[in-house]
Amino acid sequence: MLLRGGRRGRRRRLTDRDRVVVSVMVGVPTLLVIALVWVPALLSVALSFVRWNGLGSVGDADWVGLQNYRDIVEIYPPFWPAVRHNLIWLVALFLGPTVLGIALAAVLDRELRGSRLYQTAFFLPTVLSLALIGFVWQLVYSADQGLLNGLTGSSIDWYGDPEYNLGAVIVASGWRHTGYIMLLYLAGLKGVDPALREAAKLDGCGEVQTFFRVVFPVMRPVNIIVLVITVIESLRAFDLVWVINKGRNGLELISALVTQNIVGEASRVGFGSALATIMLVVSTVFIVVYLRTVMREDNS
Amino acid sequence: MAAHRSPAGLPGSFLATSSITRRTLFRGLAVGGGLAATLAACGDGDSGGGSGPLRVGINEAPGSGRAYDQQKARLDAFTEAELEVNYVDHNTFQEGINNYLQGSPADVFTWFAGYRARSFYTNGLIGDVSDAYPADVSEAIRKASTADDGKQIFVPTNNYPWAVFYFKSLWEKNGYEPPATLDELVTLSRKMQGDGLTPIGFADKDGWPAMGTFDILNMRINGYDFHMSLMAGQNSWTDPKVKTVFDTWRGLLPYHQSDSLGRTYQEAVSSLQQKKSGMYYLGLFLTDSLEIEEQEDIAFFTFPEIDSTVGADAIDAPIDGFCRSAAPRNEGAATDLLKYLGSGDSGSALDTAEIPQIATNAKATTGNYTDLQQRAVEFMGTQKSIAQFMDRDTDPGFASTVMIPAIQTFIKNPDDVDGLLKSIDAQAKSIFVS
């Protein structure tokens, strides 16, 4: 009781100045988030119910209800391929680069000779912009002068042929993603108490068993971050396909379709907003799932 | 998505790919966020009367090369009124045009002929320029610069035709003759295949070049008027006439360069240059990447006639020029400037072999043109109707979000024309709502 009382007392001693500082520190970011994130997002949702080509006042735009959504689902040919490609992107990022990044981190964590060098090499792609990565891989994939076709003697047009280009692009983006995940995981591994490993060893665990039974569960917070980052990366995948062919011909992604419809002269503002809203809803589902997991953990 | 860049002739789509920045992206996304209305409203305050310098908007920024130099030279030569010229990056200008016109646009600004200009006129965003329209310009160009009510709304300055280009040396060596009909084109193509050549160069990675092929086939098969009304959303895409266009195209596809969806038009030009392909249907800007000596070896013919009752006197030849804003602050000076811009004197600013375009005014000097440019001038003179290319002749949203994927789908799978046309038609109906 005494202790509690003391604590409460200390809290009451918050000066007016502290109070102002705290309000500003909380208030300014909140206002920014509302003004820069939520207001535009909600306006986008509102715009998705109108037909507007950017000419004339938005107030005069025709209210078309769910027409834009119906058109997207029923008569807009690139939509379903885009959904499929986003899903393939997500699954591929998980199975490939994410797992590989974790594996690399686990190996590099063992302080091999030259592990610094490997770390730098694997992390290097992460500091490059995706636009640049698109260009770097162009040198590998080019049909006529590319490294890949030069080595294998094939004549596949890796970026142009819709049968291969999605895979080719995912490999290029995975190249970058691997290093990112590796670094995150490596940082997490450094924080694992060595006593745990020692105890596991004493109890007769092998390396593999130690990792999966002891280290991996301890790393739960990092695992969740890795999961969220992978989901986010696959949803916002955009730069690479835009650089290659503006998200057409086998590289349709929802983000690219939004841009095609709104940015530039196309000005299908309502239609593009409906696509953006669909993306917003999908992201929200993931965010809710993530928050629920995290909060349940905090409560328990 | 303007596929044509004035006057250096580098198509805008190519530049859009190479120069998209986070800023332009953000600007576009802001529009999606509903900020457009606010932004547009900001400019309304100062649109009242008053003189001061005449404001001019140019879609080339300093440092963008010959196109900018030529526009600047042209405007510097105009001394009758003080000008305040705003040079804007090409893509920024193209992409922001809607907001620009609804804000406080310059009195005179660069734009192009066709559907977009007409739709701005109908919406009251640009004005009638009949009083400043140049006299020495062909009837076909006049038609392309005229709105539905018969008023001229656009002052043309320069353009470039689309035609089938080939290297004379290669054709002389192999004894090829320019075909005049579709049958002759097919016969020639077979002969070229026999000689180990790809008959027709083809590239559509950027999505817009193949629109040219559709345009010309539609104009040869169904005529200019049908093409224009189809582009304006007044005809059904499921019309059997449109099906004939795609069927004819399918018949020609085996003679086109394969894997076109992974190739840029520059790469297709280089296979023409390396004498791997025999001919290539493209705009005059094809010569942009060629040395002057090579340009002397290149020649062109118009796309062959398909139906003799339709003839072959319509082409795509995008025209660049100027429009006047709906409410100019200084109307008299704006008219003077437009008269000058459309004149032969201003056209002479283009009298160089460096820029693959030609002046629209017949009085412009052409002494420095290459032979090819000279022939382009003669060629333009023989055309009865001039289309502006699909992405200028139709709603830009329809062109970029419907037709690009549709044409690419056709190239990938040319057999399901009925399904494709049904899909295009459904989307066209949702975009062209009267």
Side-chain angles (χ1 to χ4, degrees):
Chain A
M1 273 313 270
L2 248 182
L3 241 175
R4 271 200 176 182
R7 227 186 247 165
R8 216 178 282 155
R10 205 175 299 150
R11 205 175 283 167
R12 228 180 272 137
R13 254 182 268 132
L14 211 65
T15 63
D16 285 348
R17 201 180 136 185
D18 287 347
R19 219 163 278 166
V20 170
V21 170
V22 169
S23 330
V24 169
M25 283 171 76
V26 174
V28 169
T30 310
L31 281 180
L32 282 177
V33 167
I34 289 176
L36 297 178
V37 179
W38 286 106
V39 169
L42 291 178
L43 281 175
S44 283
V45 174
L47 278 173
S48 72
F49 299 110
V50 303
R51 177 186 294 114
W52 188 44
N53 62 2
L55 290 181
S57 153
V58 68
D60 301 337
D62 296 333
W63 184 268
V64 293
L66 292 173
Q67 187 64 45
N68 286 329
Y69 293 92
R70 260 200 301 275
D71 285 354
I72 287 171
V73 176
E74 287 168 9
I75 64 170
Y76 187 48
F79 177 68
W80 290 110
V83 172
R84 198 170 63 237
H85 296 160
N86 268 100
L87 282 174
I88 293 175
W89 198 292
L90 175 65
V91 171
L93 270 198
F94 256 117
L95 298 183
T98 303
V99 171
L100 186 63
I102 291 177
L104 283 174
V107 173
L108 286 176
D109 188 41
R110 309 203 45 212
E111 307 280 336
L112 305 172
R113 197 185 305 156
S115 75
R116 283 276 156 81
L117 187 74
Y118 291 124
Q119 264 175 49
T120 317
F122 290 130
F123 187 64
L124 201 64
T126 311
V127 297
L128 304 178
S129 79
L130 274 169
L132 194 58
I133 286 175
F135 176 71
V136 170
W137 282 83
Q138 171 84 58
L139 302 175
V140 176
Y141 287 141
S142 162
D144 300 326
Q145 295 116 16
L147 178 71
L148 194 59
N149 284 353
L151 288 178
T152 60
S154 79
S155 59
I156 295 171
D157 180 2
W158 295 95
Y159 273 168
D161 188 329
E163 280 201 24
Y164 302 101
N165 58 8
L166 185 69
V169 174
I170 291 176
V171 168
S173 112
W175 180 61
R176 179 180 194 256
H177 190 65
T178 307
Y180 194 20
I181 297 300
M182 177 203 76
L183 200 78
L184 273 177
Y185 221 76
L186 204 54
L189 285 174
K190 297 283 184 214
V192 172
D193 190 348
L196 280 174
R197 292 184 202 236
E198 255 168 61
K201 212 179 241 172
L202 284 180
D203 286 344
C205 277
E207 284 291 341
V208 176
Q209 229 177 347
T210 311
F211 182 79
F212 282 108
R213 294 273 171 90
V214 179
V215 176
F216 194 75
V218 169
M219 295 274 287
R220 195 182 157 100
V222 178
N223 290 340
I224 290 180
I225 290 174
V226 164
L227 185 107
V228 170
I229 283 178
T230 306
V231 170
I232 290 173
E233 282 286 310
S234 64
L235 271 174
R236 46 166 240 163
F238 168 75
D239 319 41
L240 258 179
V241 300
W242 194 259
V243 175
I244 293 167
N245 66 6
K246 297 200 162 188
R248 301 185 170 115
N249 182 34
L251 293 183
E252 292 86 355
L253 292 175
I254 302 178
S255 53
L257 297 186
V258 173
T259 313
Q260 279 173 21
N261 277 283
I262 295 181
V263 175
E265 295 176 67
S267 287
R268 292 177 82 184
V269 177
F271 192 78
S273 300
L275 283 163
T277 304
I278 292 174
M279 238 178 110
L280 183 72
V281 169
V282 175
S283 339
T284 312
V285 168
F286 279 109
I287 291 167
V288 167
V289 168
Y290 163 68
L291 284 181
R292 277 189 59 182
T293 324
V294 172
M295 284 175 177
R296 197 180 297 151
E297 197 157 276
D298 285 350
N299 287 340
S300 64
Chain B
M1 186 213 47
H4 319 283
R5 182 176 169 80
S6 79
L10 274 180
S13 300
F14 160 68
L15 283 136
T17 326
S18 58
S19 70
I20 187 132
T21 62
R22 283 194 189 264
R23 191 145 29 107
T24 49
L25 271 179
F26 175 75
R27 190 173 296 125
L29 294 170
V31 174
L35 296 172
T38 346
L39 288 176
C42 291
D44 286 343
D46 58 337
S47 57
S51 47
L54 181 66
R55 297 207 300 150
V56 183
I58 302 290
N59 61 355
E60 295 296 343
S64 60
R66 299 178 302 210
Y68 165 78
D69 299 340
Q70 178 249 331
Q71 290 284 21
K72 186 161 181 353
R74 174 150 49 203
L75 290 168
D76 284 348
F78 180 77
T79 50
E80 285 165 51
E82 195 192 336
L83 301 182
E84 181 192 321
V85 188
N86 189 17
Y87 294 97
V88 182
D89 164 67
H90 192 78
N91 282 297
T92 310
F93 189 89
Q94 299 296 125
E95 297 182 348
I97 188 72
N98 283 357
N99 288 342
Y100 179 73
L101 292 180
Q102 293 173 87
S104 70
D107 297 352
V108 173
F109 58 90
T110 42
W111 196 241
F112 39 73
Y115 178 91
R116 299 284 317 275
R118 287 193 194 103
S119 109
F120 288 148
Y121 181 70
T122 319
N123 282 296
L125 295 171
I126 61 171
D128 170 13
V129 295
S130 306
D131 53 344
Y133 192 81
D136 307 295
V137 171
S138 77
E139 189 49 38
I141 291 177
R142 184 191 178 83
K143 196 160 81 177
S145 315
T146 304
D148 301 333
D149 65 0
K151 302 264 175 34
Q152 279 77 50
I153 52 170
F154 167 82
V155 171
T157 56
N158 42 278
N159 71 346
Y160 55 92
W162 278 61
V164 187
F165 290 83
Y166 62 93
F167 278 101
K168 286 184 277 193
S169 55
L170 176 75
W171 280 42
E172 274 159 24
K173 195 182 84 192
N174 291 352
Y176 302 145
E177 287 293 328
T181 63
L182 187 66
D183 290 340
E184 287 178 27
L185 179 69
V186 171
T187 314
L188 175 65
S189 296
R190 294 216 175 106
K191 207 166 149 198
M192 285 181 173
Q193 281 177 331
D195 295 336
L197 291 168
T198 304
I200 306 173
F202 197 39
D204 199 34
K205 181 176 176 178
D206 294 319
W208 58 264
M211 288 175 166
T213 308
F214 176 86
D215 288 351
I216 198 68
L217 288 173
N218 196 21
M219 283 191 277
R220 290 289 177 267
I221 293 167
N222 299 315
Y224 173 82
D225 292 331
F226 179 85
H227 180 61
M228 283 298 124
S229 72
L230 183 70
M231 290 295 112
Q234 292 157 355
N235 263 89
S236 167
W237 280 80
T238 48
D239 190 315
K241 287 176 152 184
V242 185
K243 188 170 189 295
T244 315
V245 173
F246 280 101
D247 287 342
T248 311
W249 195 350
R250 184 175 52 226
L252 290 174
L253 270 183
Y255 309 117
H256 282 70
Q257 221 169 347
S258 56
D259 300 324
S260 56
L261 297 184
R263 188 181 298 113
T264 62
Y265 83 84
Q266 290 93 335
E267 290 168 315
V269 170
S270 76
S271 47
L272 185 74
Q273 216 176 343
Q274 293 158 14
K275 317 282 194 294
K276 285 181 187 162
S277 33
M279 51 191 152
Y280 189 21
Y281 178 71
L282 199 72
L284 189 61
F285 56 82
L286 174 138
T287 59
D288 222 21
S289 54
L290 303 183
E291 302 294 328
I292 293 286
E293 308 86 70
E294 275 178 314
Q295 291 191 25
E296 280 164 15
D297 188 27
I298 210 161
F300 67 86
F301 58 91
T302 193
F303 196 92
E305 178 182 290
I306 294 177
D307 181 339
S308 60
T309 61
V310 173
D313 51 13
I315 53 164
D316 264 341
I319 309 167
D320 291 326
F322 291 84
C323 287
R324 175 163 64 193
S325 69
R329 292 164 199 75
N330 195 339
E331 190 159 357
T335 307
D336 289 344
L337 177 62
L338 285 169
K339 277 183 181 156
Y340 160 74
L341 288 169
S343 72
D345 283 349
S346 137
S348 301
L350 265 178
D351 187 9
T352 162
E354 299 280 297
I355 299 174
Q357 298 226 5
I358 54 176
T360 49
N361 195 302
K363 293 246 171 89
T365 58
T366 59
N368 296 321
Y369 279 6
T370 58
D371 286 352
L372 192 72
Q373 284 168 301
Q374 299 279 12
R375 292 216 30 235
V377 174
E378 286 163 32
F379 175 57
M380 289 299 304
T382 62
Q383 299 306 310
K384 225 165 84 191
S385 311
I386 296 175
Q388 297 301 299
F389 203 77
M390 186 185 286
D391 63 2
R392 294 182 178 194
D393 278 329
T394 189
D395 178 276
F398 178 69
S400 66
T401 67
V402 179
M403 287 314 291
I404 288 181
I407 290 176
Q408 292 193 333
T409 306
F410 168 74
I411 294 170
K412 266 185 281 190
N413 172 22
D415 293 324
D416 184 23
V417 171
D418 287 321
L420 184 73
L421 291 181
K422 244 171 77 185
S423 161
I424 297 176
D425 195 56
Q427 295 181 81
K429 286 201 173 97
S430 100
I431 290 180
F432 293 100
V433 180
S434 50

